[in-house]
Amino acid sequence: MRISELSRHSGVPIPTIKYYLRDGLLPPGRATAANQADYDEGHLRRLRLIRALIGVRGLSVSATREVLAAVDERQDDLHLLLGTVLGALPADRDAADDDDAADAADDDANAAAPDLTDVEALTARMGWKVSSRTPAAQVVAETLETLRVLGVEFDWRSLLPYAELADRTAELDLDQLRDAGGPLQQAERAVLLAVLLEPALLALRRLAQEHHSAQRYGG
Amino acid sequence: MRISELSRHSGVPIPTIKYYLRDGLLPPGRATAANQADYDEGHLRRLRLIRALIGVRGLSVSATREVLAAVDERQDDLHLLLGTVLGALPADRDAADDDDAADAADDDANAAAPDLTDVEALTARMGWKVSSRTPAAQVVAETLETLRVLGVEFDWRSLLPYAELADRTAELDLDQLRDAGGPLQQAERAVLLAVLLEPALLALRRLAQEHHSAQRYGG
């Protein structure tokens, strides 16, 4: 199909498609004339994936490129693929949208690496065989450190019931991949669910908080 | 205490404290001389809260100001306070860190509001008495819409087991507030846990995914 049809089928405007092509996120079509190329179903699928990663999750172009490369190269090793995808996503997904705030936050960015003892106690208690050097472990350690500095009574033992629920969530996640078809479909599904469900899971927690807070404290 | 002591006790550099004072996030100290002011424990506590919101969660200055105002004004109505705090946080916390990617994403930003029928079916099934007009409901609707467009077999019924776990997570969250002391302490604790736990909960899910993925697919 031509670029105009690709645009119509995907809902992505032509200038955006051209930007993705120029940036290498979308592979070039098959040249059919000096200034014309032909695109196939693979392009359409890839375009929808890019749109989800950038448009919905707000990933950077470089993180998106890394995720797409992982899908292409590691579809036969789902464990490695998942690790790459989760590694490509910043573990703390926030970004200050104010320059001055970002400058102020930079003061903290150079702080010493957090103590991992508590995270290691937590993962040992959970029976999780994971490295404490991953960005995710770092985030947990930083959160506990922050709560301690702030004088909030909340330590790694307080996180245990949350970790139990996270454990069951991860089991659900992996269940989603069982009957996904071939390796490429399984890999694509892994990326979509790993990447796209994060905001939805936090949103579900907020909806549930809204409900229970009204039940307990509502007037 | 003087600003230098405030800096030493909080670990926040003096220029950053001055920036927060200038920006009104931190109330002025009691003037003791032409160019000198006195700060108290309240300033120290507030400074640590700001540091957590901006430095750890990467909130913007304006969102931080809104959260702090809510703590001050609504400490007697925890349900309203929680609503304000959760409303001040963008429900989808991602921000593209690449200008071109942001431009490309903008094409999507003007898309029609998502269909809320599925979210309403989900919350009805869960027995959650919540509005489907909140940013959180919007995020769930957008995620389902994206998965549908991408042809992933995953609808609101697939989210139900996740919603069950989110429901139990929210119950845990509210349990944390029960014995927090007076209204101000309860309000501060609500903010800290609502705001700071989000990245940690996603990080716990990732650690659990890493563990279970190695168990199932590891070589």
Side-chain angles (χ1 to χ4, degrees), chain A residues 16 51 57 60 79 93-94 97 107-108 162 167-168 171 173 205 209 211-213 216, chain B residues 16 51 57 60 79 93-94 97 107-108 129 162 167-168 171 173 205 209 211-213 216:
Chain A
T16 306
R51 190 182 163 89
R57 270 298 305 267
S60 70
H79 178 53
R93 298 177 301 106
D94 292 310
D97 60 5
D107 295 333
D108 297 336
Y162 288 100
D167 191 80
R168 294 184 47 194
E171 292 258 36
D173 292 332
R205 174 178 175 239
Q209 282 174 336
H211 170 73
H212 288 293
S213 143
R216 294 197 196 185
Chain B
T16 307
R51 191 182 163 86
R57 270 300 304 268
S60 70
H79 178 54
R93 299 179 298 104
D94 292 311
D97 60 5
D107 295 332
D108 297 335
K129 297 197 184 85
Y162 288 101
D167 190 80
R168 294 184 46 194
E171 293 260 35
D173 292 331
R205 174 179 175 238
Q209 282 175 336
H211 170 72
H212 288 293
S213 140
R216 294 196 197 186

Side-chain angles (χ1 to χ4, degrees), chain A residues 10-11 13 16 19-20 45 48-49 51-52 54-62 77-80 82 86-87 89-98 100-102 104-105 107-108 111 119 122-123 127-131 134-137 139-140 142-143 146-147 149-150 152-154 158-159 161-163 165-178 186 189 192-194 196-219, chain B residues 10-11 13 16 19-20 45 48-49 51-52 54-62 77-80 82 86-87 89-98 100-102 104-105 107-108 111 119 122-123 127-131 134-137 139-140 142-143 146-147 149-150 152-154 158-159 161-163 165-178 186 189 192-194 196-219:
Chain A
S10 65
T16 306
Y19 165 73
Y20 294 152
R45 236 186 135 81
R48 286 176 172 158
L49 193 52
R51 190 182 163 89
I54 294 181
V56 180
R57 270 298 305 267
L59 282 202
S60 70
V61 166
S62 58
D77 185 341
L78 205 58
H79 178 53
L80 203 59
L82 272 175
L86 297 175
L89 297 173
D92 183 344
R93 298 177 301 106
D94 292 310
D97 60 5
D98 180 292
D100 288 328
D107 295 333
D108 297 336
V119 179
L122 175 73
T123 55
W128 289 345
K129 297 196 184 86
V130 294
S131 163
T134 59
V139 167
V140 175
E142 281 167 5
T143 303
T146 301
L147 291 169
V149 167
L150 288 165
V152 182
E153 282 179 38
F154 191 97
S158 322
L159 269 186
Y162 288 100
L165 293 173
D167 191 80
R168 294 184 47 194
T169 306
E171 292 258 36
L172 274 180
D173 292 332
L174 292 170
D175 288 347
Q176 308 301 323
L177 307 182
R178 269 188 316 218
Q186 208 179 19
R189 193 169 166 94
L192 289 170
L193 295 178
L196 295 182
L197 279 191
E198 289 200 343
L201 297 185
L202 291 182
L204 287 174
R205 174 178 175 239
R206 289 197 190 182
L207 288 170
Q209 282 174 336
E210 188 189 336
H211 170 73
H212 288 293
S213 143
Q215 297 285 312
R216 294 197 196 185
Y217 304 109
Chain B
S10 65
T16 307
Y19 165 72
Y20 293 153
R45 234 186 136 80
R48 286 177 173 158
L49 193 52
R51 191 182 163 86
I54 293 182
V56 180
R57 270 300 304 268
L59 282 202
S60 70
V61 166
S62 59
D77 184 340
L78 205 58
H79 178 54
L80 204 58
L82 271 175
L86 297 176
L89 298 172
D92 182 343
R93 299 179 298 104
D94 292 311
D97 60 5
D98 181 292
D100 288 325
D107 295 332
D108 297 335
V119 179
L122 176 73
T123 55
W128 291 345
K129 297 197 184 85
V130 294
S131 163
T134 58
V139 167
V140 175
E142 282 166 3
T143 303
T146 302
L147 291 169
V149 166
L150 288 164
V152 182
E153 281 179 40
F154 192 95
S158 323
L159 270 185
Y162 288 101
L165 294 172
D167 190 80
R168 294 184 46 194
T169 306
E171 293 260 35
L172 274 180
D173 292 331
L174 292 170
D175 288 347
Q176 310 299 325
L177 308 181
R178 269 188 317 218
Q186 208 180 20
R189 193 171 167 92
L192 288 170
L193 294 179
L196 294 183
L197 280 191
E198 289 200 342
L201 297 186
L202 290 183
L204 287 175
R205 174 179 175 238
R206 288 197 192 184
L207 288 171
Q209 282 175 336
E210 187 189 337
H211 170 72
H212 288 293
S213 140
Q215 298 285 312
R216 294 196 197 186
Y217 303 110

Side-chain angles (χ1 to χ4, degrees), chain A residues 22-134:
Chain A
R22 222 166 36 237
D23 217 75
L25 289 181
L26 191 66
R30 191 174 51 87
T32 52
N35 221 340
Q36 202 166 301
D38 190 56
Y39 301 91
D40 59 22
E41 282 299 316
H43 287 94
L44 188 56
R45 236 186 135 81
R46 177 58 46 114
L47 196 50
R48 286 176 172 158
L49 193 52
I50 296 169
R51 190 182 163 89
L53 295 172
I54 294 181
V56 180
R57 270 298 305 267
L59 282 202
S60 70
V61 166
S62 58
T64 301
R65 191 182 291 112
E66 208 173 320
V67 169
L68 295 174
V71 169
D72 292 335
E73 292 161 20
R74 301 184 175 177
Q75 46 179 281
D76 291 329
D77 185 341
L78 205 58
H79 178 53
L80 203 59
L81 170 66
L82 272 175
T84 307
V85 170
L86 297 175
L89 297 173
D92 183 344
R93 298 177 301 106
D94 292 310
D97 60 5
D98 180 292
D99 281 343
D100 288 328
D103 288 345
D106 280 346
D107 295 333
D108 297 336
N110 298 321
D115 183 0
L116 296 171
T117 318
D118 285 353
V119 179
E120 284 163 4
L122 175 73
T123 55
R125 181 71 71 87
M126 291 301 298
W128 289 345
K129 297 196 184 86
V130 294
S131 163
S132 57
R133 270 176 248 286
T134 59

